[in-house]
Amino acid sequence: MNPRSTVRRTSAFQANALGHYATPPHKAILVAPFSAILSSLGYNQVMKLVIFAGGTGTRLWPLSRKNFPKQFIKMFNNKSTLQLAVDRVKKPFGLNNIIISTNEAYVSMTKSEVPEIPVSNIVGEPEKRDVAPAVGLNLMRLKKQGYKGPVALLWADHLITNIAGYLELLKTSEDFVRKNPTKMVFVGEKPRFADNNIGWIKIGGELTDKGFYAYKSWKYKPDFDACADMYKSGEWVWNSGYVVEDLDFALSLFETLQPELFSGLRRIYDALGTSKESQVVKEVYPKLPKVSHDNAISEKVTGDQAVVFLADIGFSDPGTLYVLKKALESDESANVEVGLTSLSDSHDTMVFNKEVGKLVAGIGLDGMVIVNTKDAVLVVPKNTKAEEVYLVL
């Protein structure tokens, strides 16, 4: 066995010192007469994109830690998934239309990772309250700034291999929402395997708008047997977590489906742009109900309020170690070795060694994941659910 120290793969509002909530003044920029008319109506020609980057990466332990979560780790061509998320959309949508929502503790790290993003577009959540409050906070900020139109909710920790397809789905979904402002678009991905660490969406027949399907139901992280059946059925697709929706419609769903949460968000809205903004956000936000956007909104909408755009963009959420392995190596039977490693007579196994000067070796392994860091070692079968490895140091 010859140790290797290589990576093997075959594919590949305004932040300030006092708080991160000072809302910049809204300025209308008149480019042409038609743009002036749109601006006077509060309508923006370019969709706003909110990229959520506040997670602690619990499912990717021990690679991901609270003080340096997965969205900041440079694992793909020496870039982090946050950097890749911004790279994908900055040219077609423009930096001014990209908002990064993160935990207040990660604001400085976010600035360093994506310095091209305007500081005023980096929103620091004062406390981790799950995704629904974070979505609501950003929707309220856009509303206060006078924005009207579609908003895309995106994620900082995903991988996309078909960038052209990804941009096309965003544009197609934006156009759909402009024509159908009382419907939200869930983006489903054609499943490539039975992934039981993400959610699934059941779809109906294709609509008259090409690529869009009727929305039937959700299933979040089914057990492996159920997941295998869903994969074979052809009626279920991966839930990418991406949503495109009209700003006002999105806020109306919060008001109807989550009145307690909406009440707190409304208090924040009233304070935005005033001298009490920072004080009210820091007082109210930590008391908002702690609930995911899926549980709060997405799972409660009806088939009349949502559709599914079926994409094939090479989406993966490397939030679990085995999905990370699949993202690094498209051939399931092949191994992935990162760092000083040596595998013999082994298949479908990933060894991720971050400790310099120490060899990690394996013989006769099949479907295993091994991670070695300076202070932790993890050895698990590939189908271990993320919740069973729920440690973050």
Side-chain angles (χ1 to χ4, degrees), residues 191 200-204 214 216-217 229-237:
W200 290 66
I201 305 175
K202 188 175 185 180
I203 61 174
K216 294 295 185 181
S217 62
D229 291 339
M230 292 160 68
Y231 174 62
K232 293 175 184 177
S233 74
E235 298 178 337
W236 292 82
V237 298

Side-chain angles (χ1 to χ4, degrees), residues 12 45 58 74 115 125 160 181 193 299 310 341 353 380 385 393:
Q45 288 181 280
T58 55
K74 291 178 172 57
E125 305 148 23
I160 303 293
F193 59 95
E299 293 175 353
L310 184 54
T341 66
N353 182 16
V380 292
K385 291 202 75 168
L393 301 177

Side-chain angles (χ1 to χ4, degrees), residues 32-198:
F34 182 62
S35 298
I37 294 172
L38 290 174
S39 178
S40 69
L41 295 173
Y43 181 85
N44 192 305
Q45 288 181 280
V46 180
M47 178 169 65
K48 298 294 184 181
L49 313 178
V50 184
I51 300 175
F52 293 91
T56 53
T58 55
R59 295 181 296 157
L60 208 63
W61 185 90
L63 291 179
S64 180
R65 304 298 179 96
K66 281 183 178 178
N67 62 349
F68 201 78
K70 62 180 180 178
Q71 62 268 27
F72 301 110
I73 301 174
K74 291 178 172 57
M75 290 187 290
F76 306 96
N77 298 321
N78 200 35
K79 285 199 169 186
S80 67
T81 54
L82 172 58
Q83 291 173 323
L84 293 174
V86 171
D87 286 349
R88 286 192 287 266
V89 295
K90 65 183 182 182
K91 185 174 181 180
F93 289 94
L95 293 171
N96 288 333
N97 295 303
I98 300 171
I99 299 156
I100 309 294
S101 184
T102 188
N103 188 283
E104 196 172 58
Y106 304 146
V107 166
S108 295
M109 207 178 303
T110 301
K111 291 179 188 176
S112 298
E113 284 289 294
V114 284
E116 67 270 33
I117 295 293
V119 174
S120 59
N121 284 15
I122 299 175
V123 180
E125 305 148 23
E127 186 173 303
K128 187 173 175 58
R129 302 302 295 168
D130 217 318
V131 179
V135 171
L137 174 63
N138 283 280
L139 294 178
M140 286 297 189
R141 284 178 49 79
L142 288 172
K143 180 72 174 175
K144 194 72 170 188
Q145 292 167 7
Y147 176 75
K148 292 183 180 180
V151 179
L153 309 180
L154 309 175
W155 302 96
D157 54 357
H158 293 172
L159 292 176
I160 303 293
T161 59
N162 180 4
I163 308 300
Y166 175 70
L167 295 176
E168 181 182 358
L169 84 82
L170 288 177
K171 179 58 179 172
T172 302
S173 298
E174 176 187 0
D175 292 343
F176 180 91
V177 168
R178 291 196 189 280
K179 293 186 296 182
N180 305 275
T182 59
K183 290 185 183 292
M184 65 194 307
V185 177
F186 298 129
V187 177
E189 170 79 351
K190 293 180 180 178
R192 299 186 297 277
F193 59 95
D195 188 351
N196 63 329
N197 276 295
I198 61 173

Side-chain angles (χ1 to χ4, degrees), residues 301-342:
V301 300
T302 67
D304 294 333
Q305 297 172 313
V307 298
V308 181
F309 183 88
L310 184 54
D312 188 9
I313 54 175
F315 157 88
S316 62
D317 176 4
T320 66
L321 292 165
Y322 188 65
V323 174
L324 173 61
K325 186 260 181 187
K326 284 178 171 287
L328 294 172
E329 173 55 81
S330 58
D331 182 357
E332 185 169 325
S333 65
N335 300 318
V336 169
E337 301 175 53
V338 180
L340 186 60
T341 66
S342 180

